[in-house]
Amino acid sequence: MALLMEKGAEPQTEKEFADLDAIAALKESAAIELKEEGNKYVKMGKKHYSEAINCYTRAINQKALSDTETSIIFSNRAHVNLLLGNYGRALSDSEEAMKLSPTNVKAFYRAAKASLSLNKLVEAKTYCENGLDGNPDNEELKKLLKQIDSQISERQQHEAKVSKALTTAKDLVSAIEDRGLKVGKAMFQELTGLKKPILDKDHILHWPVLLLYAEVMSSDFIEDFCETDMFSAHLDLISFFSLVSLDHKSYYNKRIDSSAPLPWDKENAYTRDAIELYYEAGSGVCLSKREIISNFLQGTVASHLESFGDDEIDAVKSSPKGVSSIGMLL
């Protein structure tokens, strides 16, 4: 009997040939039945998806169907895995289906869907395009390709913004290095927010500057203090204008009466002639280049970056100058 034949042995008699044909027919029938049973389980809903996968797996394991039929079963199992969120398995099944039958359009579609869910946009686009090569009128593939192209465009735009933010941060650090400045940890961020220095088109630095009135526990915030400005100019301006800060946006309001004190200056002690300016330089711990870049990226689309390039861990090389907190006292 064929069932008693040793593995790898060739049938010798008509009986053995007949037995092998009968076994092959039984396996084929079982595989087809398992495939249909799997399809029924899929139609019964999510609670039966695992049973559907089991049926498809058993049908494949029969190894009794043609490549075209087996491709369909792999594609069906990919469909169920997609529904379950098993995107890696869905992609693997779709790829097997495509190998067995390069004309299986559903396999291309499901491979693209799985790749898209795995955020493999380039691969997803390739599967769609390959599927459309053989099926140029397939509307599902066309619609999916349009969706993928849209996401690729969005990713490219996002990456461009990230690149620009990183370049801006690095340019700032280079400008700081060129000036021989040291930068420490930002102070009084509860008053200034995430406002950072900027480098204009003429390569001039503009700093956010906080003026502290320690005696009365008040402050003024100047968002844009050009490095070429003198403090005297700002003090002259503040003498005739009140500086208003709203959501970290500072601007000057002209006083109706130039002799009137600031709202918190009850005794009119803070006049242009009376104030004295003190600032402290070289205090605090100097940040590394990587830390400065990371701080400059806060609040930008590139805030998630952990790697900034080969020079990311270099310390800022500078002369013994320093920039620290600035305060205004009477």
Side-chain angles (χ1 to χ4, degrees), residues 298-313:
Q298 288 182 21
T300 73
V301 294
S303 59
H304 65 286
L305 290 182
E306 296 181 357
S307 176
F308 311 131
D310 295 337
D311 60 348
E312 65 183 5
I313 59 174

Side-chain angles (χ1 to χ4, degrees), residues 87-275:
Y87 303 122
R89 294 177 183 176
L91 179 57
S92 178
D93 280 346
S94 299
E95 289 173 336
E96 287 296 325
M98 288 185 288
K99 289 177 186 176
L100 291 167
S101 177
T103 60
N104 187 341
V105 64
K106 289 186 177 180
F108 284 97
Y109 177 79
R110 287 160 187 168
K113 286 280 287 185
S115 297
L116 180 60
S117 297
L118 291 169
N119 206 28
K120 297 180 177 181
L121 299 183
V122 175
E123 292 87 341
K125 180 179 175 69
T126 299
Y127 286 129
C128 273
E129 291 175 339
N130 290 345
L132 285 169
D133 284 344
N135 303 270
D137 297 324
N138 188 281
E139 292 300 323
E140 284 187 321
L141 281 174
K142 286 181 180 179
K143 183 178 178 180
L144 184 57
L145 180 58
K146 186 175 180 180
Q147 180 184 347
I148 292 167
D149 283 338
S150 176
Q151 291 197 24
I152 289 175
S153 178
E154 288 177 7
R155 175 184 284 183
Q156 289 172 340
Q157 292 175 19
H158 176 75
E159 289 175 350
K161 290 178 181 178
V162 170
S163 178
K164 183 178 179 181
L166 181 57
T167 298
T168 299
K170 287 186 174 183
D171 287 345
L172 266 173
V173 173
S174 294
I176 290 169
E177 286 182 313
D178 292 343
R179 288 156 176 76
L181 303 176
K182 294 180 180 180
V183 177
K185 186 177 180 181
M187 302 175 66
F188 305 105
Q189 279 198 312
E190 68 277 10
L191 299 175
T192 63
L194 293 176
K195 187 66 179 177
K196 308 174 189 69
I198 61 172
L199 190 66
D200 67 22
K201 60 183 178 62
D202 297 318
H203 207 66
I204 295 175
L205 278 171
H206 298 251
W207 296 88
V209 172
L210 186 67
L211 305 178
L212 299 176
Y213 305 91
E215 189 178 60
V216 292
M217 299 297 289
S218 186
S219 65
D220 281 329
F221 180 40
I222 304 172
E223 282 197 11
D224 190 333
F225 195 117
C226 182
E227 65 178 338
T228 59
D229 287 352
M230 300 290 288
F231 269 100
S232 59
H234 286 278
L235 294 179
D236 288 339
L237 193 60
I238 291 174
S239 295
F240 295 98
F241 292 73
S242 59
L243 186 61
V244 180
S245 178
L246 178 62
D247 295 333
H248 309 304
K249 301 292 185 183
S250 299
Y251 54 92
Y252 292 105
N253 269 354
K254 185 170 176 58
R255 301 187 196 178
I256 298 175
D257 179 1
S258 61
S259 63
L262 292 163
W264 45 262
D265 185 12
K266 304 299 184 183
E267 299 179 0
N268 198 18
Y270 283 75
T271 64
R272 176 65 181 87
D273 295 333
I275 59 174

